Amino acid sequence: MDGSLEIGRVFGIPVRLHFTFLLVIPLFAWIIGSQIGLTVDLIEGLFGIPIDRTIITQEYIPYILGALVALSLFFCVFVHELAHSLIARAKGIKINSITLIIFGGVASMEETLPDPKVELPMALAGPLTSLGLGILSFILVYVVDAVVISAPVAGVLVYGFGYLALLNVLLFGFNLLPAFPMDGGRVLRAWLAKRMPLHQATRIASDIGRGFAILFGIVGLLSFNFLLIIIAFFIYVGAGQESSMVTTNFLLQDVSVGEIMSTDLRVVEPTMPLHEVIRLMYSTKHLGFPVVDRGELIGIIALADIHRTGEIDREAMQVRDVMSRQPVTTLPPTASVTEALKIMAMQNIGRIPVVEDGQLIGIVTRTDILTVLELKEMN
């Protein structure tokens, strides 16, 4: 994720901090510190334990406690995401990283078609971990009250563990809401996928998730809750993106590059003038061509390459002056279309030459893939 800094590895998984994490800690510290009286009353009422406020209410102590509670909560969020990741890795899914961001944590995993048998325990692992941490904090509240002799110190510890118990239980409940792509939404998707095709289950879960996102957004606007608005935005966007990704991978999972590639190849030589390439693009309606020199693929020239040159300079330039050179990304005809689409997205390219036994035999474009996808969706 852009704007993230790796701070270490846990069980071999890179752990990163997003810059928004550094913004939210002071915000949480201020919110918790400014409401210290209300939250002390709340925790006293929930646990039935009187809290000594001698230390808690002194000068800047409420804001220091707010920062400590916020950091402890994000540690609990990290453990929540780590539980997801360890279950996923045990099921054979590659974990790229865990990133702490403004509204919690994100475990980045290998893009594969979800298996309901894997997704269900993986989705439940996080919320159940949060519930476990909440129960542990709940127990520690009473342990501290019984063991710590100093009432002011006990008051600080009871407040801290009580607050964490409350937050983790709320985190457990919130994550189990069927708001895809949150954990509860993934549980819903796994349940639906046992009864219908995966892409249909994903579409239903995604629609429900976007409905929750709209609700969160409205509540956030009415209550001036900036964090809830951000969560609503990420749920809405995330639900749409994952639904699109799963639908694409599901419909194209059995399609190979060789089945959809264009074999009526137009290739250009490195010495061809650019104005002739532009004329060829007009006549063929193709926006890119493989560059071949004495039978060997040496590059690709696309409209984007030509756009990077000045209009006057083009008259004196040849293909070799602007083409994208070796190493050219190629694929064998047996490669999956989903792999081709992933490479196009990562490298921001619109076409990939297809090579077999060192010979150029075709080319697959983003347009080819989208056309096949559209036809598959109609069936």
Side-chain angles (χ1 to χ4, degrees):
M1 182 180 291
D2 292 339
S4 300
L5 174 68
E6 185 172 329
I7 59 171
R9 289 174 177 262
V10 177
F11 296 108
I13 301 171
V15 180
R16 295 172 179 160
L17 287 183
H18 195 256
F19 75 92
T20 54
F21 176 81
L22 302 177
L23 301 176
V24 78
I25 293 299
L27 176 63
F28 274 25
W30 177 79
I31 292 172
I32 295 170
S34 61
Q35 298 177 347
I36 197 81
L38 293 174
T39 50
V40 169
D41 291 340
L42 175 63
I43 291 168
E44 278 184 332
L46 286 174
F47 292 90
I49 297 176
I51 296 177
D52 189 300
R53 309 184 187 208
T54 305
I55 296 176
I56 292 175
T57 56
Q58 284 183 5
E59 297 182 347
Y60 297 106
I61 297 298
Y63 301 101
I64 295 173
L65 278 175
L68 291 174
V69 169
L71 287 169
S72 299
L73 174 61
F74 272 91
F75 175 76
C76 293
V77 170
F78 164 71
V79 176
H80 172 116
E81 294 299 331
L82 184 62
H84 283 310
S85 301
L86 293 178
I87 294 294
R89 193 166 68 175
K91 300 292 185 179
I93 299 174
K94 181 183 177 183
I95 308 300
N96 299 320
S97 65
I98 296 175
T99 305
L100 294 176
I101 55 180
I102 188 169
F103 60 87
V106 175
S108 173
M109 302 182 187
E110 180 183 22
E111 286 188 7
T112 57
L113 277 176
D115 180 349
K117 294 179 181 178
V118 173
E119 184 168 49
L120 186 59
M122 186 177 72
L124 287 173
L128 290 177
T129 298
S130 293
L131 179 61
L133 291 170
I135 293 171
L136 176 62
S137 299
F138 181 89
I139 293 170
L140 287 173
V141 167
Y142 292 99
V143 171
V144 165
D145 184 58
V147 172
V148 178
I149 298 174
S150 171
V153 173
V156 172
L157 294 175
V158 166
Y159 173 77
F161 287 125
Y163 209 147
L164 280 180
L166 176 62
L167 290 174
N168 274 291
V169 170
L170 288 175
L171 192 63
F172 161 75
F174 184 73
N175 271 277
L176 281 183
L177 290 174
F180 187 82
M182 287 170 54
D183 297 332
R186 294 187 181 279
V187 171
L188 173 63
R189 198 253 298 272
W191 181 80
L192 289 171
K194 294 180 180 179
R195 293 157 177 79
M196 63 184 69
L198 179 64
H199 68 293
Q200 291 181 9
T202 302
R203 190 172 298 156
I204 292 172
S206 175
D207 289 342
I208 294 173
R210 281 184 281 201
F212 270 97
I214 293 170
L215 179 62
F216 291 161
I218 292 171
V219 172
L221 286 171
L222 293 177
S223 61
F224 301 101
N225 190 322
F226 180 66
L227 187 60
L228 194 57
I229 293 172
I230 293 176
I231 291 173
F233 172 78
F234 276 96
I235 290 175
Y236 192 91
V237 173
Q241 287 181 339
E242 182 145 353
S243 177
S244 176
M245 183 269 291
V246 169
T247 299
T248 299
N249 287 346
F250 181 83
L251 295 176
L252 298 178
Q253 61 181 327
D254 298 322
V255 182
S256 68
V257 167
E259 293 177 67
I260 69 167
M261 68 182 182
S262 300
T263 55
D264 183 18
L265 281 175
R266 290 294 187 102
V267 300
V268 298
E269 296 181 350
T271 54
M272 177 181 282
L274 282 191
H275 63 83
E276 288 189 22
V277 176
I278 296 172
R279 190 178 301 119
L280 189 60
M281 288 179 176
Y282 271 114
S283 63
T284 63
K285 305 299 186 293
H286 292 164
L287 301 181
F289 303 101
V291 183
V292 175
D293 186 20
R294 286 172 289 192
E296 181 183 354
L297 176 68
I298 63 169
I300 292 281
I301 183 166
L303 184 60
D305 299 317
I306 299 175
H307 272 312
R308 284 193 286 269
T309 65
E311 191 171 345
I312 297 176
D313 297 332
R314 290 173 198 160
E315 291 300 320
M317 299 179 82
Q318 297 178 335
V319 167
R320 62 186 173 192
D321 298 320
V322 300
M323 69 181 189
S324 300
R325 297 178 178 273
Q326 292 278 24
V328 179
T329 299
T330 63
L331 285 173
T334 54
S336 68
V337 170
T338 53
E339 181 184 354
L341 200 56
K342 188 184 299 184
I343 291 172
M344 288 177 183
M346 291 176 59
Q347 299 186 14
N348 193 28
I349 55 178
R351 55 198 51 79
I352 300 176
V354 182
V355 175
E356 186 175 35
D357 297 327
Q359 296 296 313
L360 178 66
I361 62 170
I363 191 166
V364 62
T365 68
R366 193 189 303 269
T367 303
D368 296 330
I369 296 174
L370 295 179
T371 300
V372 172
L373 180 61
E374 189 172 351
L375 291 171
K376 285 272 189 179
E377 287 179 327
M378 293 174 63
N379 293 337

